[in-house]
Amino acid sequence: MIITRDPALTPVIAKVQAGERLSFAEGMTLYHTPDLNALMRLSNLVRERLHGDKTYFVHSMRLEFTNICYVGCTFCAFAAHKGEDRAWDYDEAAVVEHVRSRYEPGLTELHMSSGHHPNRPWSFYPNMVRQLKANFPDLQVKAFTAAEIEHLSKISKKPTLDVLRELMEAGLSAMPGGGAEIFADRVRLQVAKNKVKADKWLQIHREAHGLGMRTNATMLYGHIETLEERLDHMDRLRNLQSETGGFHAFIPLAFQPMGNSLAQNLGKTDYTTGLDDLRNLAVSRIYLDNFPHIKGYWVMIGSELTQVSLDWGVSDVDGTIVEEHIAHAAGATSPLGLSKARMIRMIQQAGRVPVLRDAYYNELEVYPARSDVAAD
Ligand code: V47
C-alpha cells in the first residue's frame, strides 16, 4: 500500500498497482509530483514485480574503434576530424589486437559504437565483426547504433534491412541503444540535426527486432529538452515495444557538460542533479511498462548514485566496460571501467542480488545477497 501526500498521484498509484497502462497526462504527473518518496516506492513496486531483488550486470568491454566523425552533434565531445592529434582509427587487425590485449577470461559482451567515418568502405564493418568472431568465438558483439546503421546504409547503398541482415550473418548479436538522443524535432534539430531522424531510428530498431535481434534504447536528457519531450520520447518507445517486444532495456543518459558546444553555448557547467537522475529513472520504470529493464548507467551518474537507483526502478547496471571514451571526453568523473568484483559488491551493498548475465539476459551466475559487505 503506497500512501501519498499528493492527491494528483493517488489515481496514478492505483492504476500502477492494478497493472494498467498510464496515459501521457499521468506520466507527466509522475514528473511533477512533489512526493518523491511515493514515486520511489511506486517505481520499486514495478521493479520488484518484474525482478524481485535481482540486479543484472554483464562482464563487458567497450570499444570505440574510431572517433572520426563528420556528423557534428552539438552535445558530443568525443568526435574528431581526420588528421587531428586526438583522432584514432583502428583497422580490423587493430580492433582484434585491442580486444586481445584487454581480454579477460569470462568476458561475454563487446559493446562497440563509434563515429560516422567518412571514408571506410562498407566491407570493413562485416569484416571486422567476422574477424572478431573468428578470434573470440564466445564473445557476443553488441555494436552499431541505429545512427551508424543508417550511415552504413548510405555508404553501401543498401537498405538498412540488408545492412542489418549482413551484419547479423557476420556475427552481430545485438544493437546498443545510442543515437536516440531526444526524438522531438525541436530538440533534435538543435542537438543532432545531421543524424538519423527519429522515425528512421525507430524503423531501424523495428527492422532489427523483425530479424530476431534484441536492442536497447537510450535517451540523452538534462540539456534543452522539456519534461514533455522526455515523456514523448518514452511514449514513442513504448509504442514500438508494444508492436515488436524487441527491446531489452531503456537507458537514460545524463548529459555530461564538458568539451561540447551545446554546453558552452548554454553556459552550462553543472551536471544533472541526483534527484533529476533518480526521478527520471523512476518515471521511465513506471511509464515503460513493457520494457524488461531500466538501466542505471554508472559511467554517467556515478557508481554511488547507481547503487541508490536500485530502489528507483533500476534492475540493470550495464557492465564492467574496461575503458569508455564518449562520456569521459565530455567530463564524466567515474572510473574508465569497474572490476567484476567491484560491481558485485556495489549491488550487494545496496541490498540486492547480483546476477551476471550475457547480452541476451541469460543468467550466467547468481551471487548471494549480503548485508555484511564493507564499504569500498
Ligand atoms: O549515442 C554523447 C551519448 C551515447 C554525450 O545500449 C552523451 O547498452 C551524455 O548509447 N553526455 C553512446 N551522453 C552511449 C550509449 C550507451 C551507453 C550505455 C549502454 C548502452 C546500451 C548504450 O552517448 C550516444 C549519445 O547519445 N552521448 N555525448 C554527452 N556529452
Side-chain angles (χ1 to χ4, degrees):
M1 178 84 170
I2 297 171
I3 296 168
T4 177
R5 61 188 167 84
D6 175 11
L9 198 57
T10 306
V12 181
I13 293 174
K15 269 183 103 169
V16 174
Q17 282 174 330
E20 290 170 29
R21 175 156 289 192
L22 296 186
S23 67
F24 194 89
E26 288 159 344
M28 288 311 298
T29 302
L30 299 174
Y31 265 129
H32 289 302
T33 183
D35 193 348
L36 282 168
N37 189 280
L39 181 68
M40 173 193 75
R41 283 180 292 138
L42 195 59
S43 65
N44 192 48
L45 180 143
V46 179
R47 182 246 203 257
E48 290 190 356
R49 196 153 62 192
L50 288 166
H51 306 292
D53 279 333
K54 283 184 173 176
T55 302
Y56 294 81
F57 73 104
V58 61
H59 194 169
S60 66
M61 183 191 292
R62 277 295 281 278
L63 176 58
E64 292 99 1
F65 49 85
T66 184
N67 62 347
I68 296 176
C69 187
Y70 64 80
V71 174
C73 299
T74 58
F75 53 78
C76 183
F78 165 79
H81 289 115
K82 235 176 154 175
E84 262 186 73
D85 281 352
R86 56 185 206 86
W88 73 86
D89 187 11
Y90 301 155
D91 62 12
E92 292 98 321
V95 167
V96 170
E97 190 38 47
H98 199 87
V99 175
R100 195 186 305 287
S101 65
R102 287 165 178 75
Y103 190 85
E104 295 166 12
L107 197 73
T108 51
E109 180 186 287
L110 177 66
H111 173 176
M112 296 195 297
S113 61
S114 292
H116 293 27
H117 194 290
N119 311 114
R120 286 256 179 230
W122 152 243
S123 56
F124 167 75
Y125 299 89
N127 279 345
M128 173 173 59
V129 176
R130 262 190 292 275
Q131 290 202 21
L132 282 165
K133 291 301 286 183
N135 282 276
F136 312 99
D138 296 335
L139 212 53
Q140 295 170 321
V141 179
K142 178 176 101 181
F144 311 119
T145 65
E148 290 170 273
I149 296 291
E150 191 199 42
H151 167 67
L152 300 185
S153 157
K154 284 183 182 157
I155 60 169
S156 65
K157 302 193 170 47
K158 293 171 192 276
T160 47
L161 186 62
D162 291 353
V163 167
L164 288 166
R165 198 178 278 125
E166 288 181 39
L167 288 170
M168 278 179 83
E169 279 162 13
L172 185 67
S173 288
M175 263 172 70
E181 323 313 355
I182 290 281
F183 290 143
D185 281 346
R186 185 193 74 85
V187 178
R188 211 165 179 85
L189 284 170
Q190 294 179 69
V191 305
K193 77 172 187 309
N194 300 322
K195 197 145 151 180
V196 63
K197 301 280 173 285
D199 285 349
K200 186 72 186 172
W201 188 100
L202 292 162
Q203 174 61 15
I204 290 168
H205 282 261
R206 182 182 286 111
E207 288 172 353
H209 298 169
L211 292 172
M213 192 167 356
R214 291 291 165 263
T215 73
N216 289 334
T218 58
M219 174 177 80
L220 173 59
Y221 69 97
H223 43 99
I224 57 166
E225 83 291 353
T226 62
L227 297 178
E228 283 79 6
E229 285 161 341
R230 289 189 198 178
L231 198 66
D232 165 70
H233 189 94
M234 291 182 206
D235 201 56
R236 299 191 207 195
L237 291 171
R238 193 173 72 174
N239 289 340
L240 180 56
Q241 180 74 333
S242 286
E243 195 186 314
T244 65
F247 286 115
H248 274 315
F250 177 68
I251 310 142
L253 301 175
F255 179 52
Q256 310 292 305
M258 302 300 166
N260 58 73
S261 63
L262 179 61
Q264 267 153 24
N265 293 339
L266 294 170
K268 192 172 167 57
T269 50
D270 50 338
Y271 291 78
T272 53
T273 66
L275 280 176
D276 190 17
D277 298 330
L278 293 174
R279 183 193 288 268
N280 202 53
L281 288 162
V283 173
S284 58
R285 177 58 289 167
I286 299 165
Y287 197 76
L288 291 173
D289 53 16
N290 51 9
F291 269 64
H293 293 281
I294 305 298
K295 215 184 248 195
Y297 189 39
W298 62 262
V299 171
M300 291 186 187
I301 61 170
S303 57
E304 297 84 353
L305 196 68
T306 302
Q307 283 186 310
V308 178
S309 77
L310 303 188
D311 284 352
W312 292 73
V314 166
S315 55
D316 187 293
V317 291
D318 198 70
T320 46
I321 291 179
V322 184
E323 207 178 307
E324 195 279 347
H325 293 286
I326 297 177
H328 286 93
T333 55
S334 55
L336 291 181
L338 287 181
S339 70
K340 196 171 136 191
R342 178 88 195 274
M343 293 212 84
I344 293 168
R345 269 206 317 282
M346 172 175 110
I347 297 166
Q348 287 173 327
Q349 284 165 350
R352 303 286 183 170
V353 175
V355 181
L356 180 67
R357 63 165 175 86
D358 68 6
Y360 268 67
Y361 286 83
N362 295 307
E363 297 187 5
L364 305 179
E365 195 161 350
V366 180
Y367 300 85
R370 292 181 52 181
S371 53
D372 59 339
V373 188
D376 287 308

